[in-house]
Amino acid sequence: MSDESTNAPALTRKRVRAPEAHREAILDAARAAFAERGYARATIREIAGRAGVTHGLVMRHFGSKEQLFLASVPGPRDLPELVPGPPEMLPDRIAQAFVARMEHSDGNDPFLALIRSAASDEQAATGLYEAMRRSSAAAYRTVLSGPDADERIDLIASQLIGVTFSRYVLRSGPVAEMPPERLVAYLTQTLRCLLEPVVLPEAAASSTRSGSSASFESSSPSFEGTSSS
């Protein structure tokens, strides 16, 4: 009797039959594949093999590799849980959650994957960034309004990606060396500024000249429920 089956890679698991178990099996396989091979190198076909399902079933559940990655690792998927609560404390919640997650990251965080993919596969990085942006924007849009909301959402992402690069990729310089609680304090202050709309000089001048209530309303903060501080 051939022992070929006993030497087969552990990569391929027994087919999962219970429909309710498909999603969890895929997510477990995705976490393992992304942790071992990284975002850029892991494939849907490999993940399907690990989960004991077909490539088509993975796509049916998640739609794309980007969406599967975001569903399987911490990060943007946690944002909808951070947004509810006192709006004035949202910057604190985002900063605390980001630093806590990154300090204990296993190296497979979406921000780390994005930075590493950008160095080797620009197309993969672009697809991942767009998926992250759509996911984050949907959550932020529940508390942000105004014509510049999309700009502020992108600026928040840029801030967090920059900190990720300095502290968790390069691991060099003052940002990398400061204690986590100090980083939280700085990030909270920065995010609070980004979450409130900026009144541009020309808009302020126009408002002063017109003196109209409409102009005042258009330049009032759009971070709903935020008290000035």
Side-chain angles (χ1 to χ4, degrees), residues 183-206:
L183 177 60
V184 169
Y186 276 119
L187 269 180
T188 298
Q189 183 173 330
T190 302
L191 293 173
R192 193 175 304 281
C193 293
L194 293 176
L195 284 165
E196 295 186 359
V198 172
V199 179
L200 299 175
E202 57 269 25
S206 174

Side-chain angles (χ1 to χ4, degrees), residues 5-216:
S5 60
T6 61
N7 295 328
L11 183 69
T12 303
R13 296 179 180 175
K14 184 179 179 180
R15 290 285 179 189
V16 176
R17 298 294 182 186
E20 67 275 7
H22 285 158
R23 184 179 175 86
E24 283 307 313
I26 294 168
L27 289 174
D28 287 343
R31 292 185 191 103
F34 288 132
E36 293 171 17
R37 295 171 53 76
Y39 172 77
R41 294 177 60 200
T43 67
I44 293 292
R45 194 168 301 282
E46 172 192 355
I47 292 167
R50 287 174 179 259
V53 300
T54 65
H55 177 282
L57 188 60
V58 175
M59 297 302 290
R60 197 177 312 151
H61 274 282
F62 297 97
S64 68
K65 178 180 172 181
E66 294 87 359
Q67 292 300 330
L68 173 57
F69 181 74
L70 296 181
S72 65
V73 298
R77 76 175 189 194
D78 301 329
L79 190 55
E81 300 173 7
L82 297 176
V83 170
E88 67 273 11
M89 296 299 293
L90 180 58
D92 307 71
R93 295 195 296 275
I94 295 172
Q96 290 167 6
F98 170 79
V99 173
R101 188 181 85 232
M102 296 303 300
E103 291 294 308
H104 300 93
S105 172
D106 61 0
N108 202 35
D109 188 88
F111 285 123
L112 290 171
L114 179 63
I115 291 170
R116 289 167 180 160
S117 295
S120 60
D121 190 335
E122 184 177 343
Q123 184 175 359
T126 300
L128 178 56
Y129 176 76
E130 288 299 326
M132 291 171 64
R133 187 186 182 284
R134 287 192 297 270
S135 176
S136 298
Y140 282 125
R141 274 289 185 181
T142 64
V143 292
L144 295 182
S145 60
D148 65 342
D150 285 339
E151 295 173 350
R152 286 181 280 148
I153 291 169
D154 265 12
L155 285 168
I156 292 169
S158 298
Q159 178 69 35
L160 298 180
I161 291 170
V163 171
T164 300
F165 185 67
S166 296
R167 185 176 178 89
Y168 303 105
V169 176
L170 294 182
R171 300 177 182 271
S172 177
V175 172
E177 296 166 3
M178 69 173 62
E181 58 273 14
R182 187 172 180 83
L183 177 60
V184 169
Y186 276 119
L187 269 180
T188 298
Q189 183 173 330
T190 302
L191 293 173
R192 193 175 304 281
C193 293
L194 293 176
L195 284 165
E196 295 186 359
V198 172
V199 179
L200 299 175
E202 57 269 25
S206 174
S207 177
T208 301
R209 286 194 301 271
S210 65
S212 67
S213 59
S215 295
F216 174 78

